[in-house]
Amino acid sequence: MAFRSAVITFPGSNCDRDMADALGKISGTPALRVWHGDHDLPEGLDFIALPGGFSYGDYLRCGAIASRSPVMQAVIAAAEKGVPVLGVCNGFQVLTESGLLPGALLRNSGIRFVCRDVTLKVENAQSLFTSGYEAGQEISIPVAHHDGNYYADAETLDRLEGEGRVAFRYVGDVNGSARQIAGVLNAAGNVLGMMPHPERAIEATHGGTDGRALFESAIKGLVGA
Amino acid sequence: MKVRVHVSLKPGVLDPQGRAIHHSLEGLGFSGVNDVRAGRLFELDVADSTSDEALDDMCRKLLANMVIENYRIEKVAA
């Protein structure tokens, strides 16, 4: 069965091609490309990806304007029906701004833009997106962001941890994130937001392939393989 | 009607920008600055008929992120 995925492009997205490339190469079916001004999503999607970049120039707050765009209303409706949604970097910021994920992403505590490979610990290896990893496994994935400092109040953080919704944690401090959280799931487990870029670690020429298992997990979980 | 919306980080939310500004003020030799928090100011020109409720809604739905920020609405005399 073909894997029907879509990558949403906002003005200022700059990792949309990388994301479409990763989804296409790993699933064998080219990802559909959707423009932010579209009110509807293609029918029958198996997977929606919100890519990295600087949507709307990060005006107001990172991801704030994109999260109010017409297509996001369709993405929110699809997510609520259970369609898997992956938001990476700016896509994660869009997910928190839209309310699909709790918390917010603040300016990095060290003020500087951070662009390097980081080590992540897989905290939950049972989700749709992470079943290809082992719990506790350490993987290397690149980050490139200025506003990746995850914030939520203590009660929300406790709830996320208690419900196994922390998907990935940084090994060591990268950006000041609360409890070193790098990626979180929604309550239903079909929405994942993460600052690191798995789509930039899918083939040897990228310098690492640790991001591959994330896409493989999702594709296998959705269409079998 | 002119309206100013002041948006500030909630107490307890780390403000790296405020901290950097604080550090810079100290670097310029200003003493006695205990803390700096950076915020945002929006100046809106809205129809006189705009209700307080609508202004509140604008803040909650877009101008402020209620997870991390507070807002204050100030109506400015013409």
Side-chain angles (χ1 to χ4, degrees):
Chain A
M1 202 175 110
F3 178 73
R4 225 170 128 73
S5 64
V7 177
I8 316 288
T9 299
F10 301 102
S13 294
N14 63 12
C15 304
D16 44 339
R17 287 183 67 144
D18 296 27
M19 183 65 85
D21 191 57
L23 286 165
K25 277 185 179 150
I26 297 171
S27 72
T29 309
L32 302 166
R33 309 291 301 274
V34 177
W35 182 237
H36 72 104
D38 293 347
H39 287 259
D40 301 309
L41 290 168
E43 305 252 315
L45 288 178
D46 296 308
F47 193 93
I48 300 168
L50 305 178
F54 300 86
S55 57
Y56 297 89
D58 281 348
Y59 292 169
L60 186 60
R61 296 176 304 273
C62 302
I65 309 281
S67 72
R68 276 81 174 169
S69 65
V71 77
M72 273 309 295
Q73 308 320 305
V75 171
I76 292 168
E80 283 168 356
K81 280 187 203 147
V83 177
V85 179
L86 169 68
V88 167
C89 200
N90 188 225
F92 185 13
Q93 295 162 342
V94 173
L95 288 173
T96 57
E97 279 284 345
S98 70
L100 281 173
L101 290 175
L105 292 142
L106 305 173
R107 178 56 41 104
N108 295 343
S109 60
I111 301 285
R112 290 194 177 88
F113 193 95
V114 179
C115 184
R116 62 179 168 90
D117 290 345
V118 299
T119 304
L120 300 180
K121 186 174 165 204
V122 179
E123 291 289 339
N124 174 343
Q126 295 180 328
S127 78
L128 173 72
F129 306 92
T130 57
S131 63
Y133 300 104
E134 303 285 332
Q137 186 181 342
E138 292 195 353
I139 59 175
S140 177
I141 304 279
V143 294
H145 60 247
H146 209 165
D147 299 82
N149 178 353
Y150 186 72
Y151 171 85
D153 59 37
E155 191 188 327
T156 305
L157 293 170
D158 288 343
R159 195 175 71 239
L160 289 174
E161 305 231 34
E163 294 174 356
R165 289 166 58 189
V166 176
F168 301 104
R169 224 185 281 272
Y170 301 108
V171 175
D173 183 32
V174 170
N175 51 28
S177 286
R179 303 187 194 179
Q180 300 185 349
I181 289 171
V184 297
L185 294 154
N186 69 341
N190 68 311
V191 178
L192 170 66
M194 61 192 291
M195 290 311 295
H197 287 270
E199 80 283 9
R200 294 190 191 174
I202 64 150
E203 45 196 309
T205 49
H206 289 166
T209 57
D210 284 354
R212 241 189 127 81
L214 187 146
F215 297 99
E216 286 167 350
S217 306
I219 292 162
K220 194 172 164 193
L222 291 164
V223 296
Chain B
M1 175 171 59
K2 297 266 169 67
V3 175
R4 288 193 189 125
V5 175
H6 304 260
V7 175
S8 54
L9 283 173
K10 287 183 176 173
V13 176
L14 182 76
D15 180 9
Q17 294 173 94
R19 209 170 52 190
I21 296 163
H22 189 183
H23 189 73
S24 189
L25 283 172
E26 287 174 338
L28 287 171
F30 293 102
S31 59
V33 180
N34 294 323
D35 193 21
V36 178
R37 307 278 287 168
R40 255 198 198 96
L41 169 66
F42 299 93
E43 293 179 326
L44 277 63
D45 187 344
V46 299
D48 289 345
S49 57
T50 308
S51 68
D52 288 356
E53 204 178 10
L55 288 171
D56 233 33
D57 225 25
M58 290 178 202
C59 291
R60 291 177 168 275
K61 285 192 176 153
L62 184 62
L63 300 182
N65 177 340
M66 299 309 293
V67 176
I68 47 171
E69 294 170 328
N70 289 325
Y71 66 89
R72 182 168 59 83
I73 297 168
E74 177 196 1
K75 290 183 184 169
V76 185

